[in-house]
Amino acid sequence: MIEVNQALEFHIKNSKVSYIFRVMEKTGILEHLYFGAAIASEKSYLYLVERELRTGNNLLTGDYTSSLEHIKQEFPVYGTTDFRYPAISVKYPAGDTISHFRYQSHRIIAGKEKISGLPQTFGKKENCETLIVQLQDQYSKLVLELFYTIFTDSASIIRSAQIKNNGSETFQIEQLASASFDLPDNDYELVHLTGAWARETHIERKQLFTGRQEISSTRGASSHIHNPFMALCRPNTTELLGEVYGFSLIYSGNFSAQVEVDTYHVSRCQIGINPFQFQWQLAPGTSFHSPEAVLTFTKKGLNGMSQNFHDLFRNHLINQKWVKKERPILVNNWEATYFDFTEEKILRLAQSAKECGIEMLVLDDGWFKGRNNDETSLGNWQVDEKKIPNGLPNLSEKIHQVGLKFGLWFEPEMISSDTPLFQKNPEYRLGQSQKNISHGRNQYVLDFSNPEVVETIFQQMAAILSTVEIEYVKWDMNRYISEAYSSFLSKEQQGEVFHRYILGVYNLYEKILTKFPDLLIESCAGGGGRFDPGLLYYAPQTWASDDTDAVERLKIQSGASMVYPLSTIGGHISAVPNHQVGRTTTLKMRGDVALFSTFGYELDLNQLNAAEKQEIAQQIQTYHKYSSLIQTGDFYQLACETNQVAWLVVSKNKQEALVGFYQILAQPNQPYVRLKLTGLAKDTSYQVNGEKLRTSSSLENIGLILNENYTDRTKEYWTRQQQHDFSSRIFHLQQMQPE
Ligand code: GLA
């Protein structure tokens, strides 16, 4: 899959994509040549080199074509005649930031090496290859290594960079992107996900302009505002057609994803740790490895990109133990009780849950000492005996006796000022103690850059997890870091706080999962404030949003599914009127929206009448029928309009498919609606909802007919089924041989 020729031209390829770059003869700098659909191997790629005679600063004396400003690069630096944004910036002891990384050597290995301390893709010797290009700084003993992995089964290239200090002085890294390359033109639109608390992952699409455009986080988490993802698509790109480049970062902290369009229409694409508030002291003998970036390409439109990401994450990122395993259907007590619960109330909820067919009860926030509101007790992970007088082991036992699994909420990274831990170790809190330290939801952030803090929290959590039968943990994180200062780190290392913090989070995940390998963790950050591939490596599902309204969820889940598989998107059915927007949607629509996610409930089942409970029992049966298809199939966004949304999942073997169609408001005298399907098997037929047999060509070219046919039934005008707001329909397709 990885080819190199005598002229040091590298071609990384499989049947889907090609990625080509070369070493420039005179400077030893890497020149980017191509990334896109697979092209045939050739003896030489020199024809891809473009050099215009342009005015500019030239790197080499007497050479007028060595202006790096005009050369498409693979890992640009400042101080070599490139005026665009660099991928790496190092501050040298003299105070300058001028580097020149020159090709030194390369190696190709079967499989891929493990990066210590970071979440990452995995592959075997049989299914992936890695190219490691080593570059030597001309001015110091810094060595830069660029990693490129390609899998046999994915249209993606995984990139990362490592810098090693082989010298005897300390260097300061000011920036290290995970990937950078220059596309030859700018005729693209930038697609990304944006939002805020309770309205995460909304899709935005805008034309590129000349200059820098950036999506980023400076908040210590990947954030509700942006997601560590961007795509560039041709302006006419649809869901199913058009060239798309997708970029994703396997990281949960401050990130930056940017495109810089220069005056010659070259588009520099970059993704990595955000250089904002970042500086790393690279001591002699140490190295620094960037998180991994995923670069993907398709000609099959935005959905083609989504499927590339979904398959890569399912096959090479998410713990394989969970990928295909049916996740337990849970009821979470948060919206049912908030902080106001007793053991008895929880057990009654468990009883009703069991009667409906729910499989797990998750006890959310409020179970630990003194936690009756959000002003107190974080960091004191001991049961509140006032609420749970017989203790957690006993509660869990009773819940298991009812026949349910048990899950528990933690917010491990936070501290409240009234806890013994804070009183004893105020320096465990992030922030500069001589200056103001802001609260967020009345709480402070623990200094996870300090391993002692991580260990303390690990011990507290482990004490509970080893004495209570717990199958699931909801790991929450409810505020951002606003004063990144650690009293544990030296003054020179303060620029390392954000990154070290997130490494501490990963370390705690690693420790917990090593000790409790069967634990299912759902990550959460005030909803989807940290919905990123970094956490998916540890926690196979993420609570997508605190907004549980079915209409809002259509937007949120449509956006999240652009990058993340449905099996990772946490979605629950909650009570009406909805607690976030006050809207009353039908139970059917709430169920049909949650069906396309990790299904669960978040309401007081004891407030429901018999018919509603019956409907829930029915929903659960439906979910069991389709959960494997939803978890493992190919997802398509069929429609994403203001009033109508449609989702489709087709099983990998194309034997079955599931369509969810949602109409938000009813329309008088409704126009005709046809829903064209895609991705079905060719030349065959499908039975739709166990009844009508339709050919796959008819389903793909004509579509599902959503209006009624009243021929010869005109008398039914007054009695016909009335339309209503918030309606949804589910169609299950089963492949059959034509009669
Ligand atoms: C966050 C989560 C909610 C809930 C509360 C508890 O907001 O996103 O689901 O767990 O915290 O405080």
Side-chain angles (χ1 to χ4, degrees), residues 668-681:
N669 203 3
Q670 175 139 336
Y672 298 112
V673 183
R674 288 177 181 190
L675 200 57
K676 283 188 189 172
L677 306 189
T678 185
L680 302 176

PDB file of all heavy atoms in Angstrom, residues 668-681:
ATOM      1  N   PRO A 668     -51.669  21.777   5.764  1.00  0.00           N
ATOM      2  CA  PRO A 668     -52.970  21.563   5.152  1.00  0.00           C
ATOM      3  C   PRO A 668     -52.781  21.227   3.678  1.00  0.00           C
ATOM      4  O   PRO A 668     -51.858  21.741   3.040  1.00  0.00           O
ATOM      5  CB  PRO A 668     -53.664  22.919   5.314  1.00  0.00           C
ATOM      6  CG  PRO A 668     -52.541  23.889   5.412  1.00  0.00           C
ATOM      7  CD  PRO A 668     -51.381  23.183   6.019  1.00  0.00           C
ATOM      8  N   ASN A 669     -53.638  20.373   3.170  1.00  0.00           N
ATOM      9  CA  ASN A 669     -53.618  20.063   1.739  1.00  0.00           C
ATOM     10  C   ASN A 669     -52.194  19.782   1.261  1.00  0.00           C
ATOM     11  O   ASN A 669     -51.657  20.417   0.359  1.00  0.00           O
ATOM     12  CB  ASN A 669     -54.217  21.260   0.975  1.00  0.00           C
ATOM     13  CG  ASN A 669     -54.740  20.830  -0.371  1.00  0.00           C
ATOM     14  OD1 ASN A 669     -54.707  19.646  -0.709  1.00  0.00           O
ATOM     15  ND2 ASN A 669     -55.218  21.785  -1.126  1.00  0.00           N
ATOM     16  N   GLN A 670     -51.608  18.856   1.913  1.00  0.00           N
ATOM     17  CA  GLN A 670     -50.167  18.575   1.776  1.00  0.00           C
ATOM     18  C   GLN A 670     -49.737  18.184   0.355  1.00  0.00           C
ATOM     19  O   GLN A 670     -50.391  17.377  -0.294  1.00  0.00           O
ATOM     20  CB  GLN A 670     -49.849  17.423   2.732  1.00  0.00           C
ATOM     21  CG  GLN A 670     -48.446  16.925   2.634  1.00  0.00           C
ATOM     22  CD  GLN A 670     -47.884  16.636   4.009  1.00  0.00           C
ATOM     23  OE1 GLN A 670     -48.335  17.201   4.988  1.00  0.00           O
ATOM     24  NE2 GLN A 670     -46.907  15.784   4.080  1.00  0.00           N
ATOM     25  N   PRO A 671     -48.619  18.733  -0.105  1.00  0.00           N
ATOM     26  CA  PRO A 671     -48.101  18.307  -1.414  1.00  0.00           C
ATOM     27  C   PRO A 671     -47.696  16.827  -1.371  1.00  0.00           C
ATOM     28  O   PRO A 671     -47.568  16.258  -0.296  1.00  0.00           O
ATOM     29  CB  PRO A 671     -46.862  19.179  -1.607  1.00  0.00           C
ATOM     30  CG  PRO A 671     -46.905  20.216  -0.563  1.00  0.00           C
ATOM     31  CD  PRO A 671     -47.786  19.742   0.529  1.00  0.00           C
ATOM     32  N   TYR A 672     -47.467  16.258  -2.547  1.00  0.00           N
ATOM     33  CA  TYR A 672     -47.030  14.859  -2.599  1.00  0.00           C
ATOM     34  C   TYR A 672     -45.596  14.745  -2.100  1.00  0.00           C
ATOM     35  O   TYR A 672     -44.767  15.607  -2.361  1.00  0.00           O
ATOM     36  CB  TYR A 672     -47.108  14.337  -4.031  1.00  0.00           C
ATOM     37  CG  TYR A 672     -48.520  14.361  -4.570  1.00  0.00           C
ATOM     38  CD1 TYR A 672     -48.875  15.231  -5.595  1.00  0.00           C
ATOM     39  CD2 TYR A 672     -49.485  13.523  -4.035  1.00  0.00           C
ATOM     40  CE1 TYR A 672     -50.163  15.259  -6.077  1.00  0.00           C
ATOM     41  CE2 TYR A 672     -50.779  13.551  -4.509  1.00  0.00           C
ATOM     42  CZ  TYR A 672     -51.126  14.421  -5.526  1.00  0.00           C
ATOM     43  OH  TYR A 672     -52.395  14.450  -5.986  1.00  0.00           O
ATOM     44  N   VAL A 673     -45.316  13.672  -1.397  1.00  0.00           N
ATOM     45  CA  VAL A 673     -43.946  13.452  -0.906  1.00  0.00           C
ATOM     46  C   VAL A 673     -43.495  12.053  -1.308  1.00  0.00           C
ATOM     47  O   VAL A 673     -44.186  11.075  -1.040  1.00  0.00           O
ATOM     48  CB  VAL A 673     -43.869  13.574   0.639  1.00  0.00           C
ATOM     49  CG1 VAL A 673     -42.431  13.423   1.109  1.00  0.00           C
ATOM     50  CG2 VAL A 673     -44.451  14.886   1.120  1.00  0.00           C
ATOM     51  N   ARG A 674     -42.344  12.007  -1.956  1.00  0.00           N
ATOM     52  CA  ARG A 674     -41.736  10.709  -2.280  1.00  0.00           C
ATOM     53  C   ARG A 674     -40.335  10.682  -1.697  1.00  0.00           C
ATOM     54  O   ARG A 674     -39.588  11.647  -1.833  1.00  0.00           O
ATOM     55  CB  ARG A 674     -41.649  10.520  -3.796  1.00  0.00           C
ATOM     56  CG  ARG A 674     -42.990  10.281  -4.419  1.00  0.00           C
ATOM     57  CD  ARG A 674     -42.860  10.165  -5.902  1.00  0.00           C
ATOM     58  NE  ARG A 674     -44.185   9.946  -6.481  1.00  0.00           N
ATOM     59  CZ  ARG A 674     -44.384   9.613  -7.737  1.00  0.00           C
ATOM     60  NH1 ARG A 674     -43.351   9.480  -8.554  1.00  0.00           N
ATOM     61  NH2 ARG A 674     -45.589   9.427  -8.198  1.00  0.00           N
ATOM     62  N   LEU A 675     -40.002   9.583  -1.127  1.00  0.00           N
ATOM     63  CA  LEU A 675     -38.713   9.477  -0.461  1.00  0.00           C
ATOM     64  C   LEU A 675     -37.864   8.454  -1.195  1.00  0.00           C
ATOM     65  O   LEU A 675     -38.072   7.244  -1.070  1.00  0.00           O
ATOM     66  CB  LEU A 675     -38.977   9.020   0.982  1.00  0.00           C
ATOM     67  CG  LEU A 675     -37.911   9.266   2.014  1.00  0.00           C
ATOM     68  CD1 LEU A 675     -37.563  10.743   2.104  1.00  0.00           C
ATOM     69  CD2 LEU A 675     -38.402   8.766   3.362  1.00  0.00           C
ATOM     70  N   LYS A 676     -36.908   8.980  -1.985  1.00  0.00           N
ATOM     71  CA  LYS A 676     -36.064   8.064  -2.767  1.00  0.00           C
ATOM     72  C   LYS A 676     -35.044   7.410  -1.854  1.00  0.00           C
ATOM     73  O   LYS A 676     -34.304   8.110  -1.153  1.00  0.00           O
ATOM     74  CB  LYS A 676     -35.323   8.845  -3.851  1.00  0.00           C
ATOM     75  CG  LYS A 676     -36.193   9.198  -5.019  1.00  0.00           C
ATOM     76  CD  LYS A 676     -35.343   9.796  -6.114  1.00  0.00           C
ATOM     77  CE  LYS A 676     -36.233  10.361  -7.198  1.00  0.00           C
ATOM     78  NZ  LYS A 676     -35.509  11.116  -8.193  1.00  0.00           N
ATOM     79  N   LEU A 677     -34.971   6.095  -1.905  1.00  0.00           N
ATOM     80  CA  LEU A 677     -34.004   5.384  -1.068  1.00  0.00           C
ATOM     81  C   LEU A 677     -32.704   5.180  -1.843  1.00  0.00           C
ATOM     82  O   LEU A 677     -32.636   5.437  -3.042  1.00  0.00           O
ATOM     83  CB  LEU A 677     -34.580   4.048  -0.617  1.00  0.00           C
ATOM     84  CG  LEU A 677     -35.943   4.118   0.074  1.00  0.00           C
ATOM     85  CD1 LEU A 677     -36.299   2.777   0.672  1.00  0.00           C
ATOM     86  CD2 LEU A 677     -35.965   5.194   1.166  1.00  0.00           C
ATOM     87  N   THR A 678     -31.715   4.733  -1.142  1.00  0.00           N
ATOM     88  CA  THR A 678     -30.415   4.520  -1.778  1.00  0.00           C
ATOM     89  C   THR A 678     -29.687   3.398  -1.049  1.00  0.00           C
ATOM     90  O   THR A 678     -30.114   2.982   0.031  1.00  0.00           O
ATOM     91  CB  THR A 678     -29.610   5.837  -1.766  1.00  0.00           C
ATOM     92  OG1 THR A 678     -28.408   5.642  -2.472  1.00  0.00           O
ATOM     93  CG2 THR A 678     -29.276   6.293  -0.355  1.00  0.00           C
ATOM     94  N   GLY A 679     -28.635   2.910  -1.659  1.00  0.00           N
ATOM     95  CA  GLY A 679     -27.788   1.923  -0.991  1.00  0.00           C
ATOM     96  C   GLY A 679     -28.373   0.515  -0.959  1.00  0.00           C
ATOM     97  O   GLY A 679     -27.814  -0.370  -0.315  1.00  0.00           O
ATOM     98  N   LEU A 680     -29.508   0.286  -1.644  1.00  0.00           N
ATOM     99  CA  LEU A 680     -30.136  -1.040  -1.605  1.00  0.00           C
ATOM    100  C   LEU A 680     -29.427  -1.993  -2.571  1.00  0.00           C
ATOM    101  O   LEU A 680     -28.655  -1.548  -3.437  1.00  0.00           O
ATOM    102  CB  LEU A 680     -31.618  -0.921  -2.005  1.00  0.00           C
ATOM    103  CG  LEU A 680     -32.471   0.019  -1.138  1.00  0.00           C
ATOM    104  CD1 LEU A 680     -33.889   0.109  -1.696  1.00  0.00           C
ATOM    105  CD2 LEU A 680     -32.512  -0.453   0.317  1.00  0.00           C
ATOM    106  N   ALA A 681     -29.722  -3.275  -2.431  1.00  0.00           N
ATOM    107  CA  ALA A 681     -29.144  -4.254  -3.363  1.00  0.00           C
ATOM    108  C   ALA A 681     -29.750  -4.031  -4.746  1.00  0.00           C
ATOM    109  O   ALA A 681     -30.892  -3.604  -4.868  1.00  0.00           O
ATOM    110  CB  ALA A 681     -29.452  -5.660  -2.874  1.00  0.00           C
TER     111      ALA A 681
END
